[in-house]
Amino acid sequence: KQEVTQIPAALSVPEGENLVLNCSFTDSAIYNLQWFRQDPGKGLTSLLLIQSSQREQTSGRLNASLDKSSGRSTLYIAASQPGDSATYLCAVMEYGNKLVFGAGTILRVKS
Amino acid sequence: DAGVIQSPRHEVTEMGQEVTLRCKPISGHNSLFWYRQTMMRGLELLIYFNNNVPIDDSGMPEDRFSAKMPNASFSTLKIQPSEPRDSAVYFCASSLAWTGTGIATNEKLFFGSGTQLSVL
């Protein structure tokens, strides 16, 4: 059974810092990996999607990498801002169009 | 597009009552998912549909839970009878990932705002 783990569970950084969130998964037979953002009381918003044949994707200050063979992904946030404060979740798509989620990393960026 | 629309946003009910959650996926999307989120268990997939057909309901916790998708623009998740341990946020999500013969691996998943369910 696929298990997705995210480290750290929570992170607090001063504004302007670059930071890395980590995600690991146990079964490398995935179609893609997605990073989501969730604000309190809201639904999830997809940030980046990396297909299994790709190594990374970038969107603005966000960069996500994927090492499928080792079962790892990282989300890099450059020059963090208070507006980046949210919970970040990674999820892997496995056979059958199913997304399995990690527990998330709660990020707080202090101004 | 208005996105994935869920109703109600909040539901408070008493143990034993029937609860029906509703979802309208993004127009044109052909895969629909129901997730449940709790602090203890995180996000759990309950059931998903491709082209209105239930594909995997192995995440449905008990027979008290049922889901239907009568057409491409509407789905319901019903709990009967409800219990306090069903209290959670229930999310509906949709995507274009199902091609009819396989999976489009570059399609993102779009979530609704969720229904906060409290069973007293």
Side-chain angles (χ1 to χ4, degrees), chain A residues 1-107:
Chain A
K1 179 184 174 184
Q2 179 77 264
E3 292 185 3
V4 180
T5 303
Q6 292 189 243
I7 294 173
L11 183 63
S12 182
V13 300
E15 181 177 5
E17 242 186 52
N18 302 325
L19 57 98
V20 175
L21 307 181
N22 297 290
C23 172
S24 62
F25 47 95
T26 54
D27 187 345
S28 62
I30 63 170
Y31 288 130
N32 65 43
L33 182 143
Q34 299 184 44
W35 282 93
F36 292 84
R37 168 184 173 139
Q38 185 176 26
D39 293 288
K42 300 290 180 64
L44 284 72
T45 300
S46 181
L47 298 172
L48 290 165
L49 181 153
I50 311 174
Q51 296 187 74
S52 62
S53 59
Q54 298 174 325
R55 295 301 299 267
E56 66 176 347
Q57 284 289 329
T58 298
S59 176
R61 295 182 294 108
L62 305 180
N63 175 276
S65 67
L66 173 64
D67 184 341
K68 201 176 91 161
S69 61
S70 67
R72 297 177 188 274
S73 175
T74 61
L75 178 66
Y76 176 83
I77 302 177
S80 59
Q81 303 171 357
D84 295 331
S85 298
T87 298
Y88 291 81
L89 299 99
C90 74
V92 295
M93 177 187 278
E94 54 181 14
Y95 177 77
N97 195 13
K98 296 167 58 170
L99 272 181
V100 179
F101 282 83
T105 294
I106 302 171
L107 173 64

